[in-house]
Amino acid sequence: ASDVYKRQNQYRVEEFIDCLFQETYKNYSLLGLATEVGFNSKSSFNATFKKIKGITPSQYKKQNTI
């Protein structure tokens, strides 16, 4: 993948994480939030997130929920 594409996905993952625990998005599913930040499919989002963070989005949420 091109550097531009990689940076865009990195930005989207960071945006997802920023939104994950915001009150505004508390009723969103993980997929709904992924779509909100620009991902087009669940498989693409999950693969990209795991590649960047080393764990799945649901694992990340569990590990970072207070």
Side-chain angles (χ1 to χ4, degrees):
S2 74
D3 287 342
V4 172
Y5 185 72
K6 287 178 186 176
R7 279 195 304 271
Q8 185 178 41
N9 279 338
Q10 177 101 30
Y11 172 79
R12 287 175 177 165
V13 167
E14 294 303 325
E15 186 73 13
F16 171 87
I17 290 169
D18 287 346
C19 294
L20 190 57
F21 302 107
Q22 288 183 25
E23 188 69 21
T24 306
Y25 300 103
K26 72 176 184 173
N27 294 321
Y28 280 57
S29 66
L30 294 177
L31 179 58
L33 194 50
T35 303
E36 197 68 19
V37 299
F39 285 97
N40 295 320
S41 74
K42 184 178 182 177
S43 59
S44 171
F45 168 63
N46 284 335
T48 300
F49 191 97
K50 189 166 186 176
K51 189 175 191 179
I52 292 172
K53 292 295 176 186
I55 56 175
T56 66
S58 56
Q59 289 171 324
Y60 183 89
K61 185 176 181 181
K62 283 180 189 170
Q63 288 179 8
N64 291 282
T65 300
I66 299 171

